[in-house]
Amino acid sequence: MSEVGRGTAVASWPATTGTVRVFREPQDVIAALDTDLEETIAFVDSGGTTFLGPILGRLGGILCRSGTLRSHLAIVSREYELPCIVGVELNGALDTGDRVTMAADGAVTRT
């Protein structure tokens, strides 16, 4: 496993492994409405809560390039007990289909 990024974990949870799915625009979320998202780690640039709202409670985890512990996404993720890392800085590319593990220390590793 190699670390591909690091950010701020919004809460403590057991290591979470899943498949990355990049969400860039509303159409990406709409396309995911009728799919199983339990093992999906959503990767977004910003605006995660409103943007991911229709699927938020069904995701396995969220990685967001922006945000802080006080951001709306962080607060809502804690309420949903959804693994979430905000302010993610990547060491390389992260694409749809990549398998990653999210750790409670904010590390994102490729598995």
Side-chain angles (χ1 to χ4, degrees):
M1 295 195 315
S2 62
E3 188 171 297
V4 293
R6 183 169 284 278
T8 303
V10 305
S12 183
W13 66 84
T16 301
T17 300
T19 303
V20 171
R21 186 164 177 174
V22 178
F23 292 90
R24 290 193 174 94
E25 56 189 53
Q27 292 303 91
D28 297 333
V29 175
I30 292 167
L33 287 174
D34 293 329
T35 61
D36 179 13
L37 299 171
E38 192 172 294
E39 292 188 21
T40 297
I41 307 296
F43 182 52
V44 297
D45 283 324
S46 66
T49 306
T50 303
F51 181 61
L52 295 173
I55 59 172
L56 192 69
R58 298 175 36 220
L59 293 167
I62 301 173
L63 300 171
C64 185
R65 294 190 73 148
S66 64
T68 67
L69 289 175
R70 295 186 200 181
S71 67
H72 192 222
L73 178 61
I75 293 165
V76 172
S77 294
R78 283 192 294 271
E79 286 297 314
Y80 275 86
E81 297 181 357
L82 177 63
C84 179
I85 300 176
V86 295
V88 175
E89 293 185 23
L90 296 176
N91 309 346
L94 197 56
D95 299 308
T96 294
D98 290 347
R99 292 282 295 171
V100 297
T101 296
M102 301 169 57
D105 68 355
V108 181
T109 55
R110 194 175 317 275
T111 55

